[in-house]
Amino acid sequence: MAEEKKAVSSRHNVVMEDRRNLTITGVTDIDSFDEEAVAVFTDEGELLVRGYNLHINRIDVDAGELSLEGEVVSLEYSDNVSAKGSIWSRLFR
């Protein structure tokens, strides 16, 4: 069963254009977002995007794609790759 889930997951890519437009694939869940930070879970772990005036342009949960714009200051991955799911699912394990 776990092997089937792994085969279905999409590849994780991050494409940034001029530090203003960011496209992320392999997104499994969005943890939080506001104008200064967007935290998403990907196939490679949690990714935190920090910046100014960040806005989500498009999100496709089925395809695992997220597109956002704004002034991107940093991209940071956490070391906890296995933490997937919403904040509620992590709180009630």
Side-chain angles (χ1 to χ4, degrees):
M1 203 49 107
E3 293 175 357
E4 287 178 18
K5 225 178 200 184
K6 190 69 173 173
V8 173
S9 67
S10 61
R11 294 183 61 179
H12 174 62
N13 291 303
V14 177
V15 177
M16 185 172 7
E17 300 173 23
D18 299 326
R19 289 182 64 178
R20 304 260 337 135
N21 297 309
L22 187 66
T23 304
I24 306 168
T25 61
V27 174
T28 57
D29 196 8
I30 297 178
D31 190 29
S32 63
F33 63 91
D34 60 29
E35 289 188 346
E36 294 181 353
V38 178
V40 297
F41 291 103
T42 72
D43 293 337
E44 298 296 321
E46 186 174 6
L47 173 62
L48 179 61
V49 179
R50 293 183 195 259
Y52 303 102
N53 300 317
L54 298 176
H55 300 281
I56 295 177
N57 287 336
R58 185 179 57 104
I59 182 165
D60 186 345
V61 177
D62 294 329
E65 296 179 0
L66 172 69
S67 174
L68 59 95
E69 68 178 13
E71 184 179 341
V72 177
V73 175
S74 70
L75 302 171
E76 179 182 335
Y77 285 93
S78 69
D79 291 336
N80 192 1
V81 176
S82 63
K84 293 185 179 177
S86 68
I87 190 166
W88 297 114
S89 66
R90 290 191 314 273
L91 285 174
F92 296 108
R93 284 190 185 174

